[in-house]
Amino acid sequence: MDRRTTLKMLGGLAVAGPLHATRAFAAAPKTMATVVKAASVPWFNILNQGLEAAGKQFDITTTMVGPAQVDPAQQVKLIDDLIAKKVDVIGLVPLDVKVTAQAVKRARDAGIVVITQEGENQDGKTWDLELISAKNYGEMQMKALAREMGEEGDYVVYVGTLTTPGHNSWADAAIAYQKAHYPKMRMVADRFPGADLIDESSRVTQQVLQTYPDVRGILSMGSNGPIGAGNVIKQRRLEKKIAVVGTIIPAQAQALLMSGAIREGFLWNPKDAGYGMVAIARMVLDGTPIKTGTEIPTLGPATVDEANRVIQVDRVLTINKTTVGDLVKQGL
């Protein structure tokens, strides 16, 4: 069998990943399968590139699996399937840490290492890797939105789901910062789910514009949210009236950024996240101590919360008309 990335449908679940990783050691390579929010999302296609690259370097055979739809119950089924297959490591980008908690416990009870990303509150994990501070990331996005709105007016917030841990942590920080620093701004409704899917965020945006005609800002924590919102804003020629800010992938958002339908975006490199998850898995398998100051390969020195099992590095990128071209050339 070759090393090509495969994508196939198994019982409604999308599965992607390399079939084999390069063997650098005499022993058979370890196996790691990473369960993501949805395998068809561009963000996770890039994350998978990092999983593959690190797998080859650290002698770990990697695969990536995810629900065909955004559904935490399907993540549980995937985790249980991987436990039955006796993989050595499970990576997880959780949709709902409460729903996946028992499955994670079953994996750990079976002796499987569990490395999460965007899952710092996931009970039972071995380690969680964060490439940003949730507080700083949320505040950065609110500062950008406030600047684009002139620090006044109505706005809305999009998240992937109302239980997605990372998105809601960032949203919490952003909203708290607005309340403390921009009293003339107002969030007109509870946060909206749908930011993981372009079609859903487009539908939500159309609903928002109909229900809240005075809205002047849209802040999206999921990377497909600004795309769906930006498409609607561009179609309705509202680029100068409504500011769209949020987490984006440069190549996906470039045209909308250049047209003004998206004002500014933020992210970390998903490839770095995938690479880091495998690197940390290798460190755990080898019994390498992880503490503040430990160098995570390619990511640099980490701040480590040993009590909560969270490893954090600072890799935030700012994406606007000036920076997007170079970031696209880098493959983002």
Side-chain angles (χ1 to χ4, degrees):
M1 300 177 74
D2 61 21
R3 297 174 184 166
R4 294 173 299 172
T5 298
T6 62
L7 181 64
K8 54 188 176 179
M9 301 305 295
L10 297 176
L13 303 177
V15 182
L19 300 179
H20 288 284
T22 301
R23 297 190 179 193
F25 304 91
K30 298 294 186 178
T31 55
M32 176 174 176
T34 298
V35 179
V36 298
K37 298 175 186 176
S40 59
V41 174
W43 180 277
F44 296 115
N45 295 336
I46 300 174
L47 183 138
N48 194 43
Q49 295 173 15
L51 296 173
E52 292 180 354
K56 292 175 182 178
Q57 179 166 348
F58 299 113
D59 198 38
I60 297 177
T61 300
T62 66
T63 55
M64 186 182 79
V65 299
Q69 301 296 326
V70 178
D71 182 357
Q74 289 296 314
Q75 286 192 315
V76 170
K77 291 181 180 179
L78 287 167
I79 293 169
D80 285 335
D81 181 55
L82 296 173
I83 294 170
K85 291 178 178 178
K86 299 182 179 180
V87 299
D88 297 296
V89 182
I90 292 176
L92 174 62
V93 186
L95 285 162
D96 187 329
V97 294
K98 293 181 179 179
V99 173
T100 50
Q102 288 302 311
V104 169
K105 183 179 186 302
R106 289 191 290 274
R108 294 298 305 280
D109 288 346
I112 297 172
V113 174
V114 177
I115 306 297
T116 59
Q117 212 274 307
E118 295 184 53
E120 57 187 311
N121 296 322
Q122 179 66 71
D123 287 343
K125 64 187 179 295
T126 307
W127 284 106
D128 174 73
L129 171 65
E130 297 298 324
L131 277 72
I132 56 162
S133 155
K135 181 175 183 293
N136 291 343
Y137 193 65
E139 290 180 356
M140 286 176 68
Q141 298 197 63
M142 180 52 69
K143 289 175 184 177
L145 183 68
R147 183 189 67 239
E148 295 298 330
M149 291 177 59
E151 300 186 7
E152 62 181 3
D154 295 344
Y155 74 95
V156 293
V157 175
Y158 297 172
V159 292
T161 72
L162 298 179
T163 58
T164 302
H167 292 187
N168 285 281
S169 293
W170 311 336
D172 289 343
I175 295 163
Y177 195 84
Q178 176 267 304
K179 291 179 178 178
H181 295 87
Y182 307 118
K184 293 183 180 180
M185 291 176 63
R186 182 173 70 103
M187 188 171 72
V188 295
D190 291 339
R191 58 197 76 175
F192 292 89
D196 285 328
L197 302 172
I198 294 175
D199 289 347
E200 182 64 13
S201 55
S202 295
R203 185 194 65 77
V204 169
T205 301
Q206 292 165 352
Q207 176 187 336
V208 165
L209 295 181
Q210 181 177 353
T211 308
Y212 307 102
D214 295 328
V215 73
R216 296 185 56 212
I218 297 172
L219 181 60
S220 174
M221 302 305 172
S223 65
N224 274 329
I227 307 302
N231 286 338
V232 174
I233 296 305
K234 185 176 181 179
Q235 290 165 3
R236 299 196 181 191
R237 299 181 180 180
L238 296 172
E239 295 93 336
K240 294 183 179 180
K241 178 183 177 183
I242 299 176
V244 177
V245 170
T247 300
I248 58 173
I249 296 173
Q252 190 182 18
Q254 185 173 22
L256 292 170
L257 272 167
M258 299 310 293
S259 73
I262 296 175
R263 302 286 183 88
E264 191 163 61
F266 301 87
L267 89 162
W268 60 94
N269 190 334
K271 185 174 181 179
D272 286 346
Y275 191 100
M277 292 174 77
V278 179
I280 291 167
R282 182 78 263 178
M283 296 170 78
V284 173
L285 292 169
D286 290 346
T288 303
I290 301 174
K291 56 186 179 180
T292 293
T294 296
E295 287 277 338
I296 307 300
T298 76
L299 302 183
T303 299
V304 177
D305 180 347
E306 295 187 49
N308 293 305
R309 311 300 290 173
V310 176
I311 300 167
Q312 182 182 305
V313 295
D314 185 11
R315 305 283 289 189
V316 177
L317 302 173
T318 300
I319 307 135
N320 52 40
K321 290 181 179 180
T322 301
T323 63
V324 67
D326 286 340
L327 292 171
V328 172
K329 289 178 182 177
Q330 294 173 32
L332 291 178

